[in-house]
Amino acid sequence: MNRRVVYTRGGSPADVLTVIEEPEPAAPERGQVLIRTTAFPVHPGDLHPIETYPGEAVEPVTPGIEATGVVEAIGPGTRVAPGVEVGGRVTVFPQPGSWCQWFVADAEAVVAVPEGLPDEVAAQMLANPLTAVMLRREAEEHVAFGYDGFLVQTAAGSSVGRLVTGVAQFHNFALINVVRSERGAAELRKRFPDVPVVATEHAGWADEVRKATGGRPVSVALDPIGGKTAGSLVDLLAPGGKLVSYGMIAEEPISVHASTLVSKSLTLRGKNIISGWPSEASPEKRASDIATAKQIALALTDQFDVAATYGLGELADAVAHAVQPGKVGTILVRPW
């Protein structure tokens, strides 16, 4: 039997997600790979579609975009990535519907796990590192960045934020991290003692960012929060600066007056790793980005924290923990 997570109506994930039993998937066809899941992460982005339309009935949907596991079978005539073989460990992204014990994946989404990389890291090996790669590219492509400008990121203590910091240090980007609390700031300073950290719990946090720049411009801001926080980042940006919004944590809209955009010639950019990266990147760029994601996983293994691991029978607790304020690390589910 195959145990699979589904929901049939929108609402709080802890309330609407259930686990069903069904026959194991059929043998994979051409272009497909059958995966036995060993672990999958609970990303905040996995939960957003479930919450979007509370109470609205939908056809049974299985959440998830990323999972790690073992190859059970490869469809006849299927071309697979190097290292992908029956019995081998793989990670799959983007693969909608990966929250189950077994699933059939598109072969082009299946990536071999480097030898020695634990499941706890392998389960997070692609979505978050690829997001960090995407954000780095957004910063590098901005003309004002790279001369003497600073990069500022909010939610810097998140799983993505820590990887962005590691990547920024590797590329010698001038970075200022912004987090919610002084407690989170203290934790981040231990991890990255050379990177300034500012906590938004202080009323004058934006002035603290300006002070940390030493008079140099804030050229690029990376933000997964939105709302008032993003609005404050717009005020911090130097003329010609760029705000990259890649999340929707805040419920309120980003409030920006047109005069600010016009007078400062600012760029506002939205990015989404789930839909944007696969469609925008060429096969060559995808292969290069995946290789970089693997390098990030190997080089920054200590930054792939796991906040807790749950079983399928503890799913409600897992999804509630995934959105808990102050959580450090990713929530994993082991479906067996």
Side-chain angles (χ1 to χ4, degrees):
M1 298 296 289
N2 181 29
R3 300 179 71 204
R4 181 163 64 97
V5 180
V6 300
Y7 64 97
T8 57
R9 60 184 174 89
S12 169
D15 295 332
V16 302
L17 289 174
T18 60
V19 179
I20 64 173
E21 291 190 353
E22 60 186 9
E24 294 176 10
E29 300 177 354
R30 184 182 180 90
Q32 297 180 330
V33 177
L34 176 61
I35 310 293
R36 177 173 58 82
T37 311
T38 54
F40 60 78
V42 180
H43 295 301
D46 295 325
L47 306 180
H48 180 71
I50 306 171
E51 301 167 321
T52 302
Y53 302 105
E56 183 172 322
V58 296
E59 293 294 325
V61 178
T62 297
I65 55 168
E66 182 176 30
T68 193
V70 176
V71 175
E72 293 292 311
I74 299 174
T78 298
R79 296 182 61 181
V80 295
V84 175
E85 58 186 9
V86 174
R89 297 171 62 231
V90 295
T91 290
V92 185
F93 174 84
Q95 181 60 52
S98 57
W99 286 15
C100 45
Q101 291 179 317
W102 308 77
F103 64 92
V104 174
D106 294 332
E108 63 182 16
V110 181
V111 177
V113 173
E115 185 176 352
L117 202 68
D119 277 356
E120 290 76 11
V121 179
Q124 312 174 57
M125 188 181 78
L126 294 179
N128 288 340
L130 286 173
T131 300
V133 171
M134 175 187 73
L135 296 175
R136 182 207 70 195
R137 184 175 295 128
E138 285 294 318
E140 288 179 330
E141 289 177 353
H142 192 61
V143 175
F145 188 74
Y147 294 96
D148 63 345
F150 264 87
L151 172 66
V152 173
Q153 70 159 338
T154 60
S158 68
S159 298
V160 170
R162 295 193 304 275
L163 298 184
V164 168
T165 300
V167 169
Q169 287 192 311
F170 179 81
H171 290 280
N172 295 315
F173 289 174
L175 173 68
I176 298 173
N177 281 328
V178 178
V179 296
R180 180 183 303 178
S181 67
E182 187 56 45
R183 178 181 177 182
E187 169 64 26
L188 208 54
R189 291 185 188 106
K190 293 178 182 178
R191 293 175 184 260
F192 304 102
D194 298 329
V195 180
V197 188
V198 172
T200 59
E201 71 175 24
H202 302 155
W205 70 268
D207 290 332
E208 292 183 35
V209 172
R210 293 185 180 94
K211 182 178 180 181
T213 67
R216 294 161 62 185
V218 175
S219 297
V220 180
L222 309 177
D223 176 59
I225 299 174
K228 294 180 181 179
T229 299
S232 297
L233 291 175
V234 169
D235 292 338
L236 283 169
L237 287 170
K242 178 181 186 179
L243 170 68
V244 181
S245 180
Y246 68 99
M248 300 171 285
I249 296 175
E251 294 185 3
E252 72 269 15
I254 301 173
S255 179
V256 182
H257 198 281
S259 63
T260 302
L261 299 179
V262 173
S263 63
K264 296 173 71 173
S265 298
L266 299 179
T267 298
L268 304 184
R269 185 77 181 272
K271 298 296 293 185
N272 183 339
I273 190 63
I274 298 174
S275 60
W277 176 75
S279 61
E280 294 178 4
S282 64
E284 294 77 17
K285 181 172 285 187
R286 287 199 299 270
S288 175
D289 286 352
I290 288 170
T292 301
K294 288 185 178 183
Q295 291 174 350
I296 291 172
L298 290 168
L300 298 175
T301 298
D302 291 346
Q303 302 305 329
F304 287 78
D305 292 46
V306 174
T309 301
Y310 295 87
L312 280 182
E314 306 167 298
L315 191 62
D317 293 334
V319 296
H321 195 173
V323 295
Q324 182 178 309
K327 171 184 66 68
V328 177
T330 298
I331 299 300
L332 295 186
V333 175
R334 289 192 175 272
W336 294 92

